[in-house]
Amino acid sequence: MGCGGWRCPGVFYYCCDVLLLSGGSYYMISRSLGPEFGGAVGLCFYLGTTFAGAMYILGTIEILLTYLFPGMAIFKAEEAKDEPAALLNNMRVYGTCVLTCMAIVVFVGVKYVNKFALVFLGCVILSILAIYAGVIKSAFDPPDFPICILGNRTLSRKGFDICAKFIEVGNETVTTKLWALFCSSPFLNATCDLYFSQNNVTEVQGIPGVASPLIQENVWSNYLQKGVMVEKSGLVSVPSGDPVNLDQPYVFSDMATYFTLLVGIYFPSVTGIMAGSNRSGDLRDAQKSIPVGTIMAIATTSFVYISSVILFGACIEGVVLRDKFGEAVNGNLVVGTLAWPSPWVIVFGSFFSTCGAGLQSLTGAPRLLQAISRDGIVPFLRVFGHGKANGEPTWALLLTACICEIGILIASLDEVAPILSMFFLMCYLFVNLACAVQTLLRTPNWRPRFKYYHWTLSFLGMSLCLSLMFICSWYYALVAMLVAGLIYKYIEYRGAEKEWGDGIRGLSLSAARYALLRLEEGPPHTKNWRPQCLVLVRVDQDQNVVHPQLLSLTTQLKAGKGLTIVGSVLEGTYLENHPQSQRAEESLRRLMEAEKVKGFCQVVISSNIRDGISHLIQSSGLGGLQHNTVLVGWPRNWRQKEDHQTWRNFIELVRETTAAHLALIVAKNVAMFPGNQERFTEGNIDVWWVVHDGGMLMLLPFLLRHHKVWKRCTMRIFTVAQMDDNSIQMKKDLTTFLYHLRINAEIEVVEMHDSDISAYTYEKTLVMEQRSQILKQMHLTKTEREREIQSITDESRGSIRRKNPTNSRLHLSVPEEQVGDCEEKPEEEVKLIHEENATSTPQSPPEEADTIQDRVHLTWTKDKFTADKNKSKSPSTPEGIKDFFNMKPNQSNVRRMHTAVKLNEVIVKKSHDAKLVLLNMPGPPRNRKGDENYMEFLEVLTEHLDRVMLVRGGGREVITIYS
């Protein structure tokens, strides 16, 4: 580039780049790597093509003003140092005019531009042949092309004509114009520059010919810094020691040169290799023509470029090659002088080739933009997909001309070239990536016809493109990648969804399969545990979700992390209700998108709701990606159902989650839960930690407070103690325990009578030995404490007996889902309470108690409990019912309601203003005849509370003191 004053970029830029039609590489990348990559790279390729048009126009103007009509320059340089600035201003003015003319030509008659393409290509071929002919001629008849050198410094010819200090005219010695440039007067006794006085002036041939030994001198690199004089090696030079005067007629380097910079400037000359794929629509047999044509184009142009570099190095002096603007040869065209038969062949060939290349860029770039716009993947570009009635991209041409004007205003080929190099390299990088991805994924439809292909070639090409991007200009590379990244993210979030069977989807499937197989290797560690939710929702007759707040709660609980499956059940047969199922799935997807729930939805059609819920619990998920938590809403109107099927389904759900070792979260009063847009500026999240459930009660508020809705809420933990417990020490030990768990919460110990929590007595609870055993560890040494706390929390225990002799009647029957005792019977796992005997006094035999329990079955509510308790004292009470209430052996219903009432009174007193209350959910009774009592128990337990989450653990520890 820019060697010896020959600035004819079109000769080499245009060799392959004949015609760019719509689609091309964009179509290839978008259909192979997806619309995001295709749109990002396609727009970058469009920008590269547009800036290439600006570069071609600048080359046209430079040839026009430098070689054809120098007098047309509007801005004149008064001094030599002002010439570059004047040239840039002239290029801006004339470049804008030429761009306008070319845009009008493309708008009016693009078909004529395509017809002239072969004419322009003929000019390029003729110019290349003229250069080879000139090289051959220089071997025996080199052209007369002298350059003047002072010492070893190359002189600019613009201020003098004779390369000598003085000449002999007759018998008189006369000084030359060169003397006047270095001396104070034209006389021989004038004071001259010291370096001028001490060194001789030498005139050498700038083009000695291919037979000269110049190749040995020029084969090695010689990079210059900005402002350094161009010097010829091998000549004697006496240094003067004086600083160099920039006004003296030396040839200076106008910019710093180095290998990576020159690669970036030179690379646009090889950006025509995609011409075949871009014209695939016009080829008779594209599958055959493109591989052969592309390889032949690469081979041909590589031969031309390499041979030109070698031949120029063998024919032309090094100082001329490094003279960017040809100052040493009075601005003459070096390659034109070397060519045969006339320099005008190169001048006109370069002019027409650059002009034609600019027209082709203005023809192809709008069509590329139109193809992207018509695909609809970039919403704000859709307007550029429209055009004239015949399909010509009018609006895209207007945008292309505006962007091209930016490159013209830069007005420097050396600054524009690296920009488009980045965009073209990025395009080639992703073409190689597309081929490699399709091959590695073994996509069935990827069947390349070219036999000598291997994915390593594509990977090597991709690596070379990426390396060249940073070799050429690392900051331009970063800017180009940033632009492509921004376009990619924009298309991902705002663009239209397209299903083109791209390779990225196949890559995602392969990665998902690999990850699922890895998940099968074992269960997650406790410190990696998070709720993987199966959210069960109900839809109405129009397939709309009844309680969308449940999905808002899911978002707040998950914060976009982990697995979320939203499931629903439709009653009926699959053949009849399949359309309703599809509408329900679409409704779920819309709601999930609105609530920003990242996950999957699944609608099951079953003969009854109960079986459908069971199928969802059993079959949702895939492989190791299974749910571990079920989130469901409380059946609000369960009392009003005549068939009682709603609450029966709910209790069966509780039983099935317990049997499946799944955690269960029941949201009560779900309609009052906040949406994702609401914010609590203050308030409390109260945890009533009555039963140890593996840490679920402590983990859930911690996760909720990560969401902006609950972020400003304070976590409070209430734990229940018996009257004979040391509450002060318990609070201190529990504070230490939470400190090791790194959970910030306020702690309060609530003292209650043992009879007030008898319904919880049979659960694994911190009131009992397990909590005492955990907290006793706080008195160990620090090392022992950190080792023992987690081991006690994680270990599985069987049933343990209370050591209080006054309560020897009670057992701690630990459910299987909490201790991992697989030998327990299923019906024992889900019991609410368990009597040691059917009677607690020797006067009542077990058989009699069982008979009475089977004969009398009442639904207990809080009101019934109070009324019937008073009726038991009334003489009008029937004898059988009176005996039942006064009966010592079995008062399980009374005890349940007593627990619910007392515990509810304490919770309402302490947490009436809490934003959310979480408490343990007892298991359902073993005997299904008590199911309704169980529902009443939970209803009374949560009365007068706005938002409640009933939590039942899944049988494993979910929180750990380890990071």
Side-chain angles (χ1 to χ4, degrees):
M1 279 298 298
C3 298
W6 64 274
R7 298 302 299 271
C8 48
V11 171
F12 295 101
Y13 296 167
Y14 193 73
C15 189
C16 293
D17 202 357
V18 179
L19 181 63
L20 180 66
L21 298 177
S22 61
S25 57
Y26 157 71
Y27 188 90
M28 182 191 306
I29 296 171
S30 62
R31 269 57 178 181
S32 297
L33 298 180
E36 293 86 2
F37 280 108
V41 179
L43 285 177
C44 289
F45 190 49
Y46 162 75
L47 292 175
T49 306
T50 304
F51 275 102
M55 184 180 66
Y56 297 143
I57 293 174
L58 291 176
T60 301
I61 301 304
E62 186 172 347
I63 295 172
L64 181 69
L65 296 180
T66 305
Y67 305 113
L68 292 177
F69 304 102
M72 289 179 59
I74 299 174
F75 300 93
K76 306 290 184 180
E78 296 181 359
E79 299 181 6
K81 63 180 181 180
D82 298 331
E83 288 185 2
L87 178 61
L88 293 180
N89 290 330
N90 287 319
M91 294 180 71
R92 291 186 180 105
V93 173
Y94 282 105
T96 304
C97 297
V98 172
L99 172 62
T100 304
C101 295
M102 286 185 175
I104 293 174
V105 170
V106 172
F107 175 77
V108 174
V110 66
K111 60 181 180 179
Y112 298 107
V113 176
N114 293 335
K115 290 181 179 179
F116 280 112
L118 292 177
V119 177
F120 297 146
L121 179 61
C123 294
V124 173
I125 296 175
L126 185 61
S127 300
I128 293 174
L129 294 177
I131 292 174
Y132 284 120
V135 170
I136 296 173
K137 178 177 176 294
S138 69
F140 54 85
D141 185 17
D144 183 23
F145 201 61
I147 57 173
C148 189
I149 298 176
L150 175 63
N152 65 349
R153 300 176 181 178
T154 307
L155 296 176
S156 174
R157 281 279 191 173
K158 293 184 179 180
F160 64 96
D161 52 355
I162 299 175
C163 183
K165 294 182 180 180
F166 42 80
I167 58 175
E168 297 290 339
V169 179
N171 295 327
E172 184 178 358
T173 302
V174 180
T175 58
T176 62
K177 292 181 180 180
L178 180 61
W179 178 280
L181 294 175
F182 287 93
C183 300
S184 58
S185 68
F187 303 106
L188 294 176
N189 59 353
T191 303
C192 297
D193 179 77
L194 184 59
Y195 186 85
F196 180 78
S197 303
Q198 294 178 349
N199 291 273
N200 296 324
V201 176
T202 308
E203 187 176 65
V204 298
Q205 285 296 324
I207 305 179
V210 70
S212 66
L214 274 179
I215 187 66
Q216 300 177 4
E217 178 183 334
N218 292 333
V219 71
W220 308 111
S221 61
N222 187 0
Y223 301 113
L224 303 178
Q225 296 298 319
K226 184 176 181 180
V228 176
M229 290 177 291
V230 178
E231 299 177 344
K232 177 176 171 54
S233 60
L235 294 181
V236 178
S237 175
V238 180
S240 63
D242 294 339
V244 178
N245 187 356
L246 297 179
D247 293 330
Q248 292 175 340
Y250 294 120
V251 177
F252 295 95
S253 173
D254 73 321
M255 61 183 296
T257 57
Y258 43 90
F259 175 76
T260 57
L261 174 71
L262 297 181
V263 169
I265 296 174
Y266 188 76
F267 183 79
S269 62
V270 294
T271 57
I273 62 172
M274 299 297 293
S277 62
N278 292 331
R279 298 190 63 194
S280 58
D282 293 343
L283 299 175
R284 181 178 302 173
D285 188 359
Q287 298 183 40
K288 179 180 179 180
S289 300
I290 289 179
V292 176
T294 301
I295 293 175
M296 290 300 296
I298 293 175
T300 303
T301 52
S302 297
F303 171 78
V304 172
Y305 295 149
I306 294 174
S307 61
S308 297
V309 169
I310 295 175
L311 292 176
F312 289 162
C315 295
I316 305 172
E317 276 285 351
V319 292
V320 178
L321 294 174
R322 288 186 288 276
D323 182 6
K324 180 177 178 180
F325 296 103
E327 298 176 66
V329 292
N330 204 20
N332 290 321
L333 190 62
V334 177
V335 179
T337 305
L338 176 64
W340 182 86
S342 171
W344 292 106
V345 175
I346 301 299
V347 173
F348 284 107
S350 300
F351 177 80
F352 284 118
S353 65
T354 52
C355 184
L359 283 172
Q360 298 304 326
S361 295
L362 290 178
T363 303
R367 281 159 174 73
L368 177 58
L369 179 61
Q370 186 182 47
I372 298 173
S373 303
R374 286 182 173 177
D375 277 342
I377 59 177
V378 184
F380 71 88
L381 290 179
R382 288 176 182 171
V383 64
F384 298 106
H386 305 291
K388 294 190 293 187
N390 59 356
E392 292 296 323
T394 307
W395 293 105
L397 175 61
L398 180 61
L399 178 63
T400 301
C402 294
I403 297 176
C404 192
E405 178 64 18
I406 297 175
I408 289 175
L409 293 177
I410 296 175
S412 173
L413 284 173
D414 298 330
E415 298 295 331
V416 174
I419 298 176
L420 62 96
S421 295
M422 296 302 111
F423 292 134
F424 280 117
L425 278 169
M426 188 173 294
C427 176
Y428 303 151
L429 184 151
F430 279 96
V431 169
N432 282 286
L433 177 62
C435 295
V437 167
Q438 295 284 6
T439 306
L440 292 176
L441 291 177
R442 295 182 174 88
T443 306
N445 286 325
W446 174 250
R447 300 184 295 272
R449 188 175 296 274
F450 188 64
K451 298 180 180 179
Y452 306 102
Y453 168 74
H454 194 267
W455 67 268
T456 53
L457 295 176
S458 297
F459 188 80
L460 177 62
M462 181 184 68
S463 303
L464 289 175
C465 289
L466 185 62
S467 302
L468 275 177
M469 287 178 66
F470 286 92
I471 287 174
C472 294
S473 176
W474 65 268
Y475 47 89
Y476 277 139
L478 293 178
V479 170
M481 295 175 71
L482 178 63
V483 170
L486 292 176
I487 298 173
Y488 178 94
K489 298 305 293 184
Y490 177 82
I491 297 175
E492 183 179 18
Y493 286 104
R494 297 295 301 276
E497 294 185 2
K498 299 288 183 181
E499 179 51 57
W500 289 330
D502 53 86
I504 294 299
R505 185 176 180 84
L507 187 63
S508 300
L509 289 174
S510 297
R513 172 181 170 273
Y514 174 77
L516 285 173
L517 292 176
R518 288 292 302 272
L519 286 176
E520 285 286 288
E521 295 178 1
H525 192 271
T526 300
K527 63 184 180 182
N528 295 326
W529 194 95
R530 65 169 55 249
Q532 316 285 4
C533 290
L534 170 62
V535 186
L536 299 178
V537 298
R538 186 163 55 91
V539 295
D540 56 19
Q541 294 180 351
D542 297 327
Q543 281 74 48
N544 294 321
V545 178
V546 177
H547 293 297
Q549 295 88 346
L550 206 58
L551 293 185
S552 300
L553 176 62
T554 304
T555 303
Q556 297 159 21
L557 186 65
K558 302 285 292 179
K561 305 296 183 181
L563 172 69
T564 301
I565 302 175
V566 181
S568 184
V569 179
L570 297 181
E571 196 168 2
T573 62
Y574 181 78
L575 293 178
E576 295 177 355
N577 297 321
H578 179 60
Q580 289 86 336
S581 172
Q582 290 182 324
R583 288 197 299 268
E585 284 192 7
E586 185 62 31
S587 176
L588 289 179
R589 288 193 188 95
R590 287 197 304 266
L591 184 60
M592 291 172 67
E593 184 177 354
E595 297 294 340
K596 298 181 180 179
V597 177
K598 297 186 181 298
F600 312 97
C601 63
Q602 185 175 2
V603 177
V604 172
I605 302 175
S606 179
S607 57
N608 58 76
I609 300 297
R610 180 172 170 180
D611 290 344
I613 294 176
S614 178
H615 295 159
L616 279 175
I617 293 176
Q618 295 178 60
S619 61
S620 294
L622 178 65
L625 197 64
Q626 297 278 357
H627 58 277
N628 56 27
T629 305
V630 177
L631 175 60
V632 68
W634 173 261
R636 184 163 51 95
N637 299 323
W638 66 274
R639 288 197 186 103
Q640 300 175 9
K641 294 291 184 180
E642 295 180 358
D643 58 354
H644 301 276
Q645 195 59 44
T646 301
W647 60 264
R648 287 196 177 98
N649 292 340
F650 174 77
I651 295 179
E652 288 304 312
L653 169 65
V654 178
R655 288 192 172 100
E656 289 176 358
T657 55
T658 303
H661 302 286
L662 301 176
L664 177 63
I665 303 174
V666 180
K668 195 167 184 290
N669 301 328
V670 67
M672 302 181 64
F673 276 70
N676 291 328
Q677 304 303 322
E678 299 181 41
R679 303 288 184 273
F680 287 136
T681 56
E682 58 181 359
N684 300 313
I685 300 177
D686 288 355
V687 177
W688 284 84
W689 195 18
V690 182
V691 173
H692 181 64
D693 58 352
M696 279 284 290
L697 279 175
M698 291 183 290
L699 182 62
L700 293 180
F702 174 78
L703 295 176
L704 282 173
R705 292 182 67 245
H706 278 74
H707 196 274
K708 51 192 173 184
V709 174
W710 307 92
K711 189 173 184 179
R712 297 185 181 275
C713 293
T714 303
M715 180 177 171
R716 298 191 303 185
I717 296 180
F718 296 88
T719 186
V720 180
Q722 299 178 91
M723 289 300 184
D724 56 351
D725 286 336
N726 186 344
S727 300
I728 298 176
Q729 185 62 39
M730 184 180 296
K731 181 176 181 179
K732 184 184 300 183
D733 294 342
L734 187 55
T735 302
T736 306
F737 182 58
L738 291 178
Y739 172 78
H740 286 285
L741 291 176
R742 297 175 299 282
I743 292 179
N744 297 322
E746 300 176 6
I747 299 173
E748 184 172 343
V749 178
V750 179
E751 294 183 345
M752 297 183 69
H753 291 282
D754 180 56
S755 60
D756 293 340
I757 55 171
S758 58
Y760 281 100
T761 303
Y762 304 93
E763 299 282 349
K764 186 179 176 183
T765 169
L766 284 183
V767 183
M768 303 303 179
E769 278 76 359
Q770 189 202 13
R771 181 175 64 188
S772 300
Q773 189 174 357
I774 290 177
L775 299 181
K776 282 178 183 178
Q777 303 305 317
M778 301 303 158
H779 303 290
L780 301 174
T781 65
K782 180 179 179 181
T783 304
E784 293 172 333
R785 181 168 63 243
E786 292 181 352
R787 184 176 64 251
E788 293 294 332
I789 289 174
Q790 186 61 37
S791 63
I792 293 175
T793 304
D794 289 341
E795 73 177 346
S796 300
R797 300 175 187 81
S799 300
I800 55 177
R801 184 181 297 274
R802 293 277 294 166
K803 295 182 175 55
N804 187 349
T806 61
N807 292 327
S808 60
R809 183 176 57 87
L810 305 178
H811 279 185
L812 267 174
S813 298
V814 184
E816 178 186 335
E817 71 274 16
Q818 294 177 353
V819 299
D821 188 2
C822 297
E823 288 77 19
E824 296 284 348
K825 296 181 179 180
E827 51 267 26
E828 292 178 348
E829 296 171 0
V830 296
K831 63 185 176 179
L832 171 64
I833 64 172
H834 175 63
E835 304 296 338
E836 181 178 83
N837 298 299
T839 64
S840 59
T841 61
Q843 288 81 6
S844 300
E847 295 82 358
E848 180 183 351
D850 292 339
T851 304
I852 296 174
Q853 185 175 4
D854 293 339
R855 185 173 65 250
V856 181
H857 176 71
L858 297 177
T859 300
W860 290 94
T861 63
K862 181 180 179 183
D863 297 335
K864 280 188 176 184
F865 165 69
T866 306
D868 291 342
K869 190 173 182 181
N870 295 331
K871 287 180 182 180
S872 66
K873 300 178 182 180
S874 173
S876 61
T877 307
E879 189 65 23
I881 302 297
K882 179 180 178 181
D883 292 342
F884 176 77
F885 282 105
N886 293 333
M887 181 173 54
K888 296 286 185 181
N890 187 353
Q891 296 185 8
S892 59
N893 292 332
V894 176
R895 190 185 312 153
R896 290 190 188 100
M897 295 311 303
H898 180 77
T899 298
V901 171
K902 291 296 183 181
L903 191 54
N904 177 258
E905 289 176 355
V906 176
I907 293 175
V908 171
K909 180 181 178 181
K910 299 285 186 180
S911 304
H912 65 278
D913 60 344
K915 301 300 182 183
L916 179 63
V917 176
L918 293 91
L919 68 156
N920 297 109
M921 181 180 181
R926 177 179 59 178
N927 189 349
R928 284 178 167 79
K929 293 181 180 180
D931 285 355
E932 194 168 358
N933 298 333
Y934 174 69
M935 295 295 294
E936 284 291 351
F937 172 83
L938 296 179
E939 189 73 59
V940 173
L941 183 65
T942 56
E943 270 187 325
H944 310 300
L945 297 173
D946 292 338
R947 305 177 189 89
V948 181
M949 285 176 63
L950 295 170
V951 181
R952 185 162 179 79
R956 62 164 295 169
E957 296 295 332
V958 300
I959 196 166
T960 174
I961 67 172
Y962 302 124
S963 299

